[in-house]
Amino acid sequence: MYDPKPEHKFSFGLWTVGNPGRDPFGDAVRDTRNPSQLVDLLGEVGAWGVNFHDNDLVPIDASPSERDRIVSDFKKALERNGIVVPMATTNLAYDPVFRDGAFTSNDPEVRAFARQKTMRAMDLGAEVGAKIYVFWGGREGTETDAGKDAIDALKWYREALNYLCEYSMDQGYGYRFALEAKPNEPRGDIYLPTTGSMLGFISTLDHPEMVGLNPETAHEHMAGLNFMHAIAQAIDADKLFHIDLNDQKFGRYDQDFRFGSEMIKQAFYLVQILEDTGYSGSRHFDAHAYRSSDYEDVKAFARGCMRTYLILKEKVEQFKNDSEIQDLIAEARADDGSMDPHLGSYSSEKAKALKAYPFDRSALGKRSKPYERLDQLLIELLLGAR
Amino acid sequence: MYDPKPEHKFSFGLWTVGNPGRDPFGDAVRDTRNPSQLVDLLGEVGAWGVNFHDNDLVPIDASPSERDRIVSDFKKALERNGIVVPMATTNLAYDPVFRDGAFTSNDPEVRAFARQKTMRAMDLGAEVGAKIYVFWGGREGTETDAGKDAIDALKWYREALNYLCEYSMDQGYGYRFALEAKPNEPRGDIYLPTTGSMLGFISTLDHPEMVGLNPETAHEHMAGLNFMHAIAQAIDADKLFHIDLNDQKFGRYDQDFRFGSEMIKQAFYLVQILEDTGYSGSRHFDAHAYRSSDYEDVKAFARGCMRTYLILKEKVEQFKNDSEIQDLIAEARADDGSMDPHLGSYSSEKAKALKAYPFDRSALGKRSKPYERLDQLLIELLLGAR
Amino acid sequence: MYDPKPEHKFSFGLWTVGNPGRDPFGDAVRDTRNPSQLVDLLGEVGAWGVNFHDNDLVPIDASPSERDRIVSDFKKALERNGIVVPMATTNLAYDPVFRDGAFTSNDPEVRAFARQKTMRAMDLGAEVGAKIYVFWGGREGTETDAGKDAIDALKWYREALNYLCEYSMDQGYGYRFALEAKPNEPRGDIYLPTTGSMLGFISTLDHPEMVGLNPETAHEHMAGLNFMHAIAQAIDADKLFHIDLNDQKFGRYDQDFRFGSEMIKQAFYLVQILEDTGYSGSRHFDAHAYRSSDYEDVKAFARGCMRTYLILKEKVEQFKNDSEIQDLIAEARADDGSMDPHLGSYSSEKAKALKAYPFDRSALGKRSKPYERLDQLLIELLLGAR
Amino acid sequence: MYDPKPEHKFSFGLWTVGNPGRDPFGDAVRDTRNPSQLVDLLGEVGAWGVNFHDNDLVPIDASPSERDRIVSDFKKALERNGIVVPMATTNLAYDPVFRDGAFTSNDPEVRAFARQKTMRAMDLGAEVGAKIYVFWGGREGTETDAGKDAIDALKWYREALNYLCEYSMDQGYGYRFALEAKPNEPRGDIYLPTTGSMLGFISTLDHPEMVGLNPETAHEHMAGLNFMHAIAQAIDADKLFHIDLNDQKFGRYDQDFRFGSEMIKQAFYLVQILEDTGYSGSRHFDAHAYRSSDYEDVKAFARGCMRTYLILKEKVEQFKNDSEIQDLIAEARADDGSMDPHLGSYSSEKAKALKAYPFDRSALGKRSKPYERLDQLLIELLLGAR
């Protein structure tokens, strides 16, 4: 019943199930598996897709022949597991070259190198069929703002994205770009820190139609923001191109926990808006197993991400079909149409009429909403108690 | 030397120096002063402008004749103090009618009432010369998302702003709208929580050219975000129409402390970007005195906001003229032009050349930046130790 | 099945169900009900106990005869509803006199007044049978630390508590004191901000045996801390005298939401530790209904607090009886006793033996724990999916 | 003038100036220097002391002879630079063996190994003269609480500390233990998350007199707490044995920035309380240079920590000697002694008199404090503008 199927479009990054458990205070705890082994693991747990950074697949110092062999092995693994590559991205964070940024580095040679690296990574993604290309600017930021010009940084960032949009079109790759925001870590502050900031930024690009968002639960939670609201804005603007599902507590380091494992109610709202609005893209899990896990537990982690999504999806249906809940919603959203003449678009006449309308402010202020009742029913539904 | 002058464009809200000190756990501690008295107080401390919500000036239940008398008294106070009204706004938060929102209330009658109240408030603002009209949607949000549709809410919000844009044009008021984001409080979560979200939202409006931002330090700090970065994005998008200066610690309730009183370095960066980019709007202080203060201390509070701004402005100049600092910045931002062929806009030829360019990645990764040195000099400059 | 019974010891403050919905940006939205009416409401929803601040029951300016009439009415209401008063406390926050603190005010007259007010409030609590006396120092803090001495403040705080301990003993009231921490709001920073700080403070008092803790979910969540861990420390130190149950998101203003309505998993852990350790005190709900609610919804809010507790309590049982879960826990906590000689208390011989013990560090580092499996089962249990 | 001198007791960890810049998203950027080289670097910048984790000095897999050679080289480096070792500690975080904790690991063999490793590290510290022994339980925590018992964990933690206290006494090492709290990272939640929690915990130990605190700025800032207040509580309890100075923004990952580089006012308060109370221990900087730095910049970082401390120390003096500031403080703290009979310790007679004392509550509520004036003067003093 909660088994993943291809139509659910569940995908994982190579870096997620392949995460060896290194952290700022500790060494790797799991042996490193190669991309083909990881695809087999994903096949075993029932994933539909796999995504990667260029260097998850091909080491940064691989020779052309090594690259070709690795890609060939990877394609075979994809085929034998029936797994697709919906998305690819560039690692612009790990190598020391990016210590002061990539597209926004103060060093023009680094900015140029970041473009080169991305073009090559786009080639690689296209070679295996990726149609979404993600940009996460993890190093695009500062620890001190004394040495950088934040406006120049935005200009450089924009130039790079404009350039790469044209590269994609020129090559006929058909990519749609998905921008991913994060407030901080690994930089003290990262530019364009929230999904909203990215949306504002997109409207300043040369090709806004081919650029959308890749919001991530954990990144919005780091800033203590309501992730579903961010997704609503993305959908409202028709910019939800991809999504990174995981979980974490507010106001913390980047925890990247299993989807639905920390803030259950918030995860429900998220699944609800994705399902109710017919989101048709990947359900990508950008998380990793606890450092205490071995690979058996990594599989449990991956299965858990998908199962929890499907359990919540079922609850979304249940919510829709619960008449007590729906009655309360109907009560909360009652609209007898009498205000229609005063809402909607503007005209001078409408404004005149509205300005003259005699509202009974005191009576209006006494109108309540049954939100405690409704929210309690939701909690009971989530807990399986109705 | 640090005395406020009209060209500094320092303004305060009536609600700031007039704040009586009520809070969620305590009663008012200062007597209520009427608008004319508050304008006199602002005149005494040397402010240039005063801003207000409709009901800061005219009580919500005032009769037309009371309204006219109040406005007349207020204009006299403005005149005798040489104070202008650069901005006005609507109180869509205080009255119980807005307990579930204003433009996004589930109740269509409240949504209509919010438009009516805003039109009347725009009339009032125009009557005293305001040219900026601020929208802070303090009640536009939720405690539970079970009973509201976040996408409908954005649609309703947009419709209201579109309508009010047209009202302004229809009346010839010449307003520019400035949207103010806040992540939460008084609602559990507020829609469009960050300056970035508002920027993304503006691009979906019918008249984006007349709508910009009113970012507030404290609101961005509540989400733990770098406020200067938000201002940089606003300036980059040519949308910094107004600004609310104050201060507070990250991840807290809305503290609205005296400008520059909590996070000094961050305040410096803010003044720096405003001054260096030639921001020409109001420097509006949206803060209030501690609850322990009497009106003498309220004046000290208001004077302190302006003095600290001017002290930091002087430090911005000093920073620009400090050769050791500027040398380090020049080192950090060195560009010999050799990468010019690989940067800027796209062409197929450029892409081909860049993809073939032999970067020495290892050497590039060893290049460091003197940011500790630079940041230490900034700290010493801020501390008056250089 | 989830109906509250006296043995569950569910209590509410008068200030919770009686909260009229005033907030920093808005007016009251519900009419004020008197204490007897609120006790009737609590009787209707099935509460066991009611708690109060002195001025929740008796207005600060009541005459002695008014006081006596109110108390008499209140006792009748208690009797007719079969409701007890397990706890009382003092309002040292609302009156302007406390604008710079109560026991730690810089004004010695305020410090003395705070003691007087507390003694009288202790008399009142004793009169209606309260055995727990709570201290929440909501105004004990600062906005600026320039004008206060934080060490003196602790000294004054301690002196006041020592004094009041002796007053209780002198009067034969039999109170146990329960200290409640909060990090900030309404003060910029509050002294002794976490449950841990309070525990440290207790060990410096003259009568530590009669002073324990009253931890509150929302207050610990404001600082982003794991509330169950705080409760574990309180229980470990035998200091869990009382508890304030509610909910809220991390890093926010004081939200005081319905118990279990925001962070479900965390609420489960909390109920689990209370039930598994046999906590025998009140389950006190220190929360209030949304501002959108009327009194019908307030009742739903109160019922919801209790129902969710009971649903979670049932899940605690289920967790204990789920063999798959218990097997994983047994695996995670396996102990074959072979290390017993090296653990426990110290002796020179044991230390010598342990220093010489040949651990196979590499093998130990490979041992994993099945925490992803276990946590996923917990999530499924919480969701009613097992 | 701001040159470090031995009497300032400035110390650094080997891990601070030796930090190679690895982070969760990126590789090392600086070459690794050996302990002797790092001591030379510290000598060059003028530090007084150096501290270390066992494996900062001796690799975990060093043979006995390698260990002896390393220690010998290190001692020579100490001698030639005139540098002392005031503190030592154990690395119980890095090795995979500690992936589920050290003293609180569910695995009894790990718990035993952690004790063994600590005893050996204590031997090493004693060998080079350390008198303070720090415990930071970075892995003592959970990602999920489903598989651990938080009360058992505290019990195990306590047993380990009791055991190690006795080991120290048994060996005659004369150590004083200093416990360091942190709320999270690298674990999802860390037990005993704040300085206050640690203080509470100490009172439950067998030898509380030999155990105190090592509070760290960044760790308390992660939870958004006022660090000076934590230090005040530590001093009040006579438990400030050591301190870790650094800086970071609230509600973030562990940033460990240069002392005084983020929150200047808070750093001032900290220096003020340390200097004004005559704290005589190390001023230990537990920070590291930005990842963009080379070793020249690392030196600037280290020098900057000390210079900023000394600049702030000078400001503490200036604050004490500023008559306008001191007059305002005197006003804020005025005490004419008239309340003396009602304060201090308890007696029945005093209580009777106090209960009968006729306070003029209304007049008291009107008394204000000049905190805005005072705080503004502090800000101007910090900015060098007075």
Side-chain angles (χ1 to χ4, degrees), chain C residues 138-198:
Chain C
R139 296 278 172 205
E140 316 295 6
T142 57
E143 283 75 39
T144 172
D145 285 310
K148 277 186 149 173
D149 184 306
I151 296 175
D152 278 354
L154 292 173
K155 194 186 68 178
W156 293 336
Y157 213 151
R158 181 164 43 239
E159 282 179 359
L161 289 173
N162 288 340
Y163 183 102
L164 294 164
C165 281
E166 301 216 18
Y167 179 71
S168 176
M169 293 186 285
D170 194 10
Q171 300 290 324
Y173 285 157
Y175 278 126
R176 293 196 304 158
F177 286 8
L179 309 187
E180 177 179 337
K182 190 178 183 186
N184 61 78
E185 193 195 353
R187 300 309 299 264
D189 290 287
I190 298 179
Y191 296 127
L192 301 167
T194 66
T195 294
S197 318
M198 281 296 176

Side-chain angles (χ1 to χ4, degrees), chain A residues 54-63 66 91 94-98 113 117 120, chain B residues 361:
Chain A
D54 49 354
N55 305 136
D56 298 332
L57 184 56
V58 181
I60 197 167
D61 51 4
S63 69
E66 283 169 333
N91 189 327
Y94 189 79
D95 195 87
V97 73
F98 302 120
F113 175 69
K117 189 171 196 290
R120 290 179 178 176
Chain B
R361 182 170 54 85

Side-chain angles (χ1 to χ4, degrees), chain C residues 326-363:
Chain C
Q326 292 304 318
D327 286 352
L328 286 171
I329 291 177
E331 180 187 334
R333 297 178 52 107
D335 182 351
D336 63 4
S338 64
M339 283 296 114
D340 288 358
H342 299 301
L343 295 170
S345 59
Y346 183 84
S347 76
S348 297
E349 295 67 38
K350 284 179 66 174
K352 197 171 299 174
L354 176 52
K355 286 184 71 177
Y357 188 88
F359 291 101
D360 183 344
R361 182 171 54 85
S362 170

Side-chain angles (χ1 to χ4, degrees), chain D residues 28-192:
Chain D
V29 293
R30 288 184 285 269
D31 61 283
T32 300
R33 301 214 169 166
N34 70 39
S36 298
Q37 290 172 309
L38 294 169
V39 171
D40 289 342
L41 185 157
L42 289 174
E44 185 183 341
V45 299
W48 158 79
V50 65
N51 305 308
F52 57 83
H53 302 85
D54 48 354
N55 305 136
D56 298 333
L57 182 57
V58 181
I60 197 166
D61 51 5
S63 68
S65 65
E66 283 167 337
R67 176 198 186 283
D68 291 347
R69 184 190 47 75
I70 289 168
V71 173
S72 162
D73 287 353
F74 182 64
K75 284 178 171 170
K76 283 179 207 146
L78 292 174
E79 206 169 325
R80 77 172 163 265
N81 289 284
I83 282 181
V84 298
V85 177
M87 175 271 268
T89 185
T90 327
N91 189 327
L92 298 171
Y94 190 79
D95 195 86
V97 74
F98 302 120
R99 58 206 284 191
D100 189 34
F103 299 137
T104 68
S105 170
N106 262 338
D107 187 328
E109 201 164 343
V110 173
R111 298 201 298 274
F113 176 69
R115 292 186 184 191
Q116 183 197 66
K117 190 172 196 288
T118 303
M119 287 191 287
R120 289 179 178 175
M122 288 168 70
D123 299 346
L124 178 64
E127 187 177 342
V128 292
K131 286 298 173 197
I132 295 285
Y133 204 85
V134 162
F135 291 83
W136 170 61
R139 296 279 172 205
E140 316 295 8
T142 57
E143 283 76 39
T144 173
D145 285 310
K148 276 187 151 173
D149 183 307
I151 297 175
D152 278 354
L154 292 173
K155 194 186 68 177
W156 293 335
Y157 213 152
R158 180 163 45 238
E159 282 179 359
L161 288 173
N162 287 339
Y163 183 103
L164 295 164
C165 280
E166 301 216 18
Y167 180 71
S168 176
M169 293 186 287
D170 194 11
Q171 299 291 323
Y173 286 158
Y175 278 126
R176 293 197 305 158
F177 286 7
L179 310 187
E180 177 178 338
K182 190 179 182 185
N184 61 77
E185 194 195 352
R187 299 309 300 263
D189 290 288
I190 298 179
Y191 296 128
L192 301 169

